[in-house]
Amino acid sequence: MIGADAVIKCLVKEGVDTVFGYSGVAIDPFWNSILETDIKTVLVRTEQNAAHAASGYARTRKKVGVCAVTSGPGATNLLTGIATAYADSIPLVCFTGQVDSELIGSDVFQEADVTGAAESFVKYSYLVKNVKDIPRIIHEAFYIANTGRRGPVLIDLPADIQLAHIADFKYTDEPPKLRTYKPTVKGNTLQIKKVTKVLENAKRPLVCVGGGVHLSDAEEVFRKFIEKHRIPVVSTMMGLGILPSDHPMYYGMVGNNGFQVANRAMNESDVLLMVGARVADRAVSAPDLTFEGKVLVHMDVDPAEIGKNVGPTIPIVGDAKHIFEDFMGESFYCSHEAWIASLNNYRTMVRRGDVKDTGFIDSPEFVRTLSGKMDDDAIYVADVGQNQLFSCRNYIMKKGSFFTSGGMGTMGYSIPAAIGAKMADPERQVVAVCGDGAFQMSMMELATMNQYKAPVKIVVMRNNYLGLVREHQHFTYKDNYSMVHLGSDPDLELLSKAYGINYIKCEKMENMEADIDKFLKSDESCLMEVMTDPTETVAGTIA
Amino acid sequence: MKKIYSVLVENRSGVLSKVAGLFSRRSFNIDSLTVGETEDKAVSCMTIVSSGDERTLEQIEKQLNKKLDIIRIKTFEEQMSVSRELMLIKVKYNKSNRREIMETCQAMKADIVDMSKNLMIIQICDTPERTRLMIKLLSGISIVEIARTGTLALQKCE
Ligand SMILES: Cc1ncc(C[n+]2csc(CCOP(=O)(O)OP(=O)(O)O)c2C)c(N)n1
């Protein structure tokens, strides 16, 4: 057996069934050995998208996503994808080929110090120096990626190590023993009791959920907790989907792109539970987060997140699922009907304005209609830009999932991530929504989609601009536009045809519903070009 | 505020750069950083001195704790530590100031460890304040070169 065989054997043991990637001589032994197994391989069209696809896969299956690329340019291309996963705590194991061990450090052809370059956005990285270490390293890598605060782990595999003979191969099922890594998953019992006390005395309690609730697979127990104690809930962008939009206890997304009622709830609450949320700048810049006079309970599996931006009254370190299971075991009683009534009252008071006919498709209305018609358990992947903000504000969540690149805001995320999601669960409807800018950053993946029969639905919100930056320049530079005009978008109908994908154009409000019905009708892939108003602003629609 | 972090790390290549990189990426101050093996060859000890407000100093500890190559972190305030710094200082001397230099060395408990006709190397191992004072005392004379370790520190016994 050679090193590459050992690597693949480990992947089989870890239950990996799909690997996204790109080839190159330095990773060839890996791709050669994988042929011996049933693992499905997906050749994306640029390395960054291997990581994005693995991320969509990981979020759908709630397990580690795997990708592999070659050394040098393959590895450097992958970096944006790794950084994107790191920012959203998505568990990945990423393999990069590397030049022969003895050549490392001599700047030979296609050498890049990728472990060095990736250091600040991986959870951990390995440069494999001895073939014997392969089983241990891979076992550790999966464990590290998928425990505690999840995140990407990088394994740099020199070509000679992949080819070296490995004598005895052993792989255990035991969690690895790492003296420096012991994530806290159980919340401290005393702290949990403290929180129940605080909740009992609260007049205006509120829970703000973030991506951590998804990552720890805590949605179900969280819903039960909320329904039992009737505590209002708001969400960060990464927490979207934990409660369905029509849930009576749900008041929408917070933050500078969020809902007034959600931000108001944040401001007025007297006890605020932040769960698996980073208290990041985008999420808290609109609520007036003077936490004075407020009891702030911050729960996160990563102790470094607690108190990073605001000092909490009660910190709880642990995995959200464990914590809420413990909460369900506590008996306490609280009643805040007056608070709920005042929030409900406020919710009915703020009404969005009527949709004006500008001759274009109204983006918020489009997102509402589209998501309203999508399958109950559909996966919606928003890209980055105005389309993303329109999406997260107006998306009607049922039992499905909402993915986007929240922490990094990486344009071009939606299509590869949607492909990964579709491969993870071919039964579910998957819709990627992107702007015409981001589309052109990932449109090469239409080929991947076609080749592997991953019938993703793609919406391109076409405004001929890098819309969100245009909006910024509209407000900040008084309409002095620079570097935001996409003068010549490709003919998307011809392009769809070239890739063998159905095409629909949506340009009139009166036909919008029918267009969407047509778009969603079959299980085949389809691209819908939605003609939107270049002057439309997200800021103008905030309510 | 100043804080000393005594950090035990796996003695592996790349660990120093990972730790130093963490400071630069998050724009934490490194006032000084020294590294050496411990009694266990697989483990090194880093002594890092940093300054900042309370929240920053706490973040430093939390972020360090996240690094998988770090085994254990001990932190203590400067006044709770015994700290030493080693400095070698090369000066140019002549007949007229030789005596004065030697007297300074005596007063500061520094040693002259090398000498030629017009150059000498003085060694001092003392607290960071006293090493700084030594530089000040010698700055009237022509200092040719200085080599300093960072601060080494252990928490006081009591
Ligand atoms: C890789 C990358 N480059 C640049 C940016 C900065 N950026 C944020 S939004 C945006 C415009 C997006 O335009 P488009 O994809 O057309 O979507 P729209 O805002 O028009 O919906 C840009 C350039 C980014 N987020 N990611």
Side-chain angles (χ1 to χ4, degrees), chain B residues 112-127:
Chain B
I112 293 161
V113 291
D114 190 32
M115 215 165 171
S116 74
K117 232 164 67 195
N118 56 349
L119 291 171
M120 65 168 90
I121 295 177
I122 299 163
Q123 167 191 307
I124 179 167
C125 179
D126 214 319
T127 62

Side-chain angles (χ1 to χ4, degrees), chain A residues 187-440:
Chain A
N188 180 293
T189 325
L190 270 174
Q191 297 294 85
I192 286 175
K193 289 214 188 308
K194 248 192 227 170
V195 175
T196 59
K197 271 262 136 48
V198 162
L199 282 176
E200 268 178 333
N201 294 325
K203 293 209 172 54
R204 296 178 307 279
L206 184 74
V207 186
C208 175
V209 287
V213 178
H214 286 304
L215 288 161
S216 71
D217 207 3
E219 294 97 331
E220 210 185 302
V221 58
F222 176 73
R223 264 175 239 169
K224 283 196 184 129
F225 171 80
I226 284 305
E227 281 158 11
K228 181 169 167 197
H229 297 290
R230 290 180 53 76
I231 303 173
V233 179
V234 293
S235 160
T236 68
M237 190 191 279
M238 294 306 291
L240 288 175
I242 291 164
L243 291 185
S245 307
D246 62 358
H247 194 285
M249 285 294 112
Y250 183 59
Y251 294 89
M253 187 176 85
V254 294
N256 52 358
N257 298 302
F259 289 93
Q260 275 179 22
V261 58
N263 288 336
R264 182 164 166 162
M266 283 277 266
N267 293 340
E268 290 181 2
S269 62
D270 63 347
V271 172
L272 177 61
L273 274 69
M274 299 288 297
V275 188
R278 291 179 300 147
V279 200
D281 51 344
R282 290 285 165 120
V284 294
S285 70
D288 147 36
L289 274 207
T290 41
F291 283 105
E292 269 159 51
K294 202 194 264 336
V295 179
L296 177 66
V297 181
H298 194 172
M299 308 177 195
D300 205 295
V301 72
D302 181 357
E305 284 306 328
I306 293 175
K308 191 171 82 177
N309 301 315
V310 273
T313 327
I314 307 176
I316 302 186
V317 178
D319 199 83
K321 190 172 182 178
H322 285 279
I323 293 178
F324 280 101
E325 276 166 1
D326 287 349
F327 271 131
M328 288 302 280
E330 294 286 322
S331 65
F332 64 99
Y333 175 77
C334 47
S335 165
H336 351 85
E337 295 307 318
W339 164 236
I340 293 172
S342 97
L343 287 179
N344 287 347
N345 184 31
Y346 192 64
R347 173 151 62 188
T348 50
M349 260 162 59
V350 276
R351 274 266 151 256
R352 51 176 185 256
D354 292 332
V355 176
K356 286 190 276 307
D357 195 356
T358 53
F360 290 98
I361 299 293
D362 180 78
S363 298
E365 193 56 32
F366 174 81
V367 171
R368 284 191 288 269
T369 314
L370 171 73
S371 53
K373 287 175 177 286
M374 277 164 50
D375 290 351
D376 279 4
D377 68 343
I379 298 171
Y380 185 111
V381 191
D383 215 282
V384 169
Q386 288 182 318
N387 62 87
Q388 176 187 35
L389 303 179
F390 286 132
S391 291
C392 51
R393 284 183 48 78
N394 299 288
Y395 179 66
I396 298 170
M397 172 66 65
K398 289 166 263 176
K399 289 190 207 105
S401 313
F402 183 93
F403 302 158
T404 191
S405 161
M408 192 80 166
T410 307
M411 279 171 72
Y413 178 79
S414 63
I415 293 175
I419 292 174
K422 188 76 188 172
M423 297 200 144
D425 195 346
E427 300 300 313
R428 280 168 81 180
Q429 187 179 52
V430 181
V431 180
V433 175
C434 56
D436 44 354
F439 174 73
Q440 288 174 74

Side-chain angles (χ1 to χ4, degrees), chain A residues 78 86 100-101 107 123 158 209 238 267 269 271 281 298 350 398 411 479 491-492 513 522:
Chain A
L78 186 70
Y86 184 71
D100 285 348
S101 312
D107 296 336
K123 193 167 169 190
V209 287
M238 294 306 291
N267 293 340
S269 62
V271 172
D281 51 344
H298 194 172
V350 276
K398 289 166 263 176
M411 279 171 72
D479 292 328
D491 181 327
L492 295 186
E513 276 206 50
S522 75

